[in-house]
Amino acid sequence: FLSLVAEFCCGLFVILILGNFWFLAVLYLLWLYLDWDTPCTGGRRCQWVRSWTVWKYFREYFPIHLIKTSDLSPNHNYLFGFHPHGVLVAGAFGNFCTGSVFKNLFPGLTPYLHIMPIWFGCPFFREYVMSAGMVSASKESVSYVLNKKGGGHASVIVIGGAEESLNAHPGSLTLNILKRKGFIKMALKHGAHLVPVFSFGENELFKQVANPKGSRLRNIQEKLQKIMGFALPLFHARGVFQYSFGLIPYRQPIHTVVGSPIPVKQNLNPTAEDIEQLHALYLQKLRKLFEEHKRNYGIPEHKSLIFE
């Protein structure tokens, strides 16, 4: 989805360069140079963009729901670990970048959805994603949000990243998390409370071409992901007037459940043991969150999360 919008924006920029409006392209490049660090310093959100009516229809299409399980004090900063990535990351975008649902459930908190830095190099597209409340997933960007004084700020990180989208098959419960500990270190360094978030239904929006680990397709996808920084899952869903094939996601409900916070005491120089202990606790709390809510959202009793 982001790729399609980004391609459109890049195409528009090329038209400006090749057409009679090349001077506008030059002015924009100057602006891009001067504004380059903004995605790493809190972005530039616009409530008007976040409140567009189209996002109301976007959330109602699936529909998307945000479920609160615990109060979050605005006196602290938080690091939300979002799972799973899925193909579209619809739950993260719909709940943290549009409307006022999050604000109503968690008054006093401002969410920042961190996405890959590569998207902020795309002309025009970067302005749009920042206006929606998205910022870079770089260490500097996460540190900027978590280091804000007074509390009330939440970094939302899709922990599995682009690699996890290759596991986004209907019914899949595999999370890429065992080797991902950078977010734990960031939480410790800034004393940000950790909050596990699981989005039920995220993997049900598309059907993906079979790509088991070790297959030729999966090997190609993983190599491309390492080169380009983002994955290329081969997926399909429904069309506009038929349900057999197309790129429009299926209408499957998404329930994004925000768990209880894990208190974290600031540790400017965490050891490997400190990181391992907190990481293990986070996995424990994430699994508990999933087990407590899976029955409500159609997950069979015998199914559990798979960490790899």
Side-chain angles (χ1 to χ4, degrees), residues 5-247:
V5 180
E7 287 173 9
F8 172 80
C9 292
C10 288
L12 180 61
F13 185 72
V14 171
I15 291 174
L16 289 179
I17 294 176
L18 299 179
N20 295 324
F21 302 98
W22 59 268
F23 62 94
L24 292 178
V26 172
L27 288 176
Y28 184 80
L29 287 175
L30 177 60
W31 162 255
L32 191 63
Y33 173 77
L34 297 174
D35 194 57
W36 189 255
D37 292 333
T38 300
C40 294
T41 54
R44 187 170 46 247
R45 68 180 57 224
C46 173
Q47 192 56 41
W48 175 68
V49 174
R50 291 169 59 88
S51 301
W52 280 350
T53 302
V54 66
W55 303 134
K56 174 178 179 291
Y57 294 119
F58 174 80
R59 293 193 303 272
E60 291 178 350
Y61 172 81
F62 298 98
I64 295 174
H65 305 278
L66 185 65
I67 292 87
K68 171 183 176 179
T69 63
S70 177
D71 289 332
L72 298 180
S73 170
N75 296 324
H76 301 290
N77 287 332
Y78 299 88
L79 195 159
F80 286 22
F82 184 92
H83 313 270
H85 184 288
V87 171
L88 190 62
V89 205
F93 177 78
N95 287 310
F96 304 120
C97 297
T98 72
S100 58
V101 176
F102 181 87
K103 182 179 179 180
N104 293 336
L105 286 178
F106 301 100
L109 284 188
T110 300
Y112 298 79
L113 179 59
H114 295 268
I115 63 175
M116 290 185 296
I118 188 174
W119 296 118
F120 296 99
C122 179
F124 303 127
F125 180 71
R126 69 189 297 275
E127 317 304 334
Y128 159 66
V129 293
M130 279 197 289
S131 67
M134 288 179 257
V135 292
S136 173
S138 66
K139 292 181 180 179
E140 295 79 11
S141 178
V142 176
S143 292
Y144 184 90
V145 174
L146 298 183
N147 207 34
K148 282 179 173 285
K149 304 299 181 183
H153 302 277
S155 281
V156 182
I157 302 177
V158 184
I159 304 300
E163 182 182 357
E164 194 173 82
S165 67
L166 300 178
N167 290 328
H169 297 271
S172 174
L173 296 172
T174 300
L175 303 181
N176 290 59
I177 192 172
L178 291 182
K179 296 181 180 180
R180 296 181 180 260
K181 300 173 184 177
F183 74 105
I184 297 292
K185 187 174 183 179
M186 294 297 289
L188 283 167
K189 281 191 170 184
H190 297 282
H193 293 357
L194 280 169
V195 180
V197 179
F198 195 87
S199 196
F200 292 89
E202 200 75 45
N203 284 339
E204 318 306 315
L205 306 185
F206 296 92
K207 291 180 180 178
Q208 190 173 166
V209 175
N211 59 342
K213 286 201 168 183
S215 66
R216 184 177 181 181
L217 174 58
R218 185 61 169 257
N219 290 337
I220 293 174
Q221 288 175 319
E222 289 176 346
K223 288 179 181 178
L224 289 175
Q225 189 264 324
K226 290 179 180 178
I227 294 172
M228 299 184 297
F230 56 89
L232 292 173
L234 299 180
F235 60 88
H236 68 88
R238 53 164 290 184
V240 179
F241 301 110
Q242 45 77 28
Y243 295 87
S244 58
F245 189 82
L247 295 179

Side-chain angles (χ1 to χ4, degrees), residues 252-265:
Q252 295 290 340
I254 297 171
H255 295 87
T256 304
V257 184
V258 180
S260 300
I262 303 171
V264 177
K265 185 178 180 180

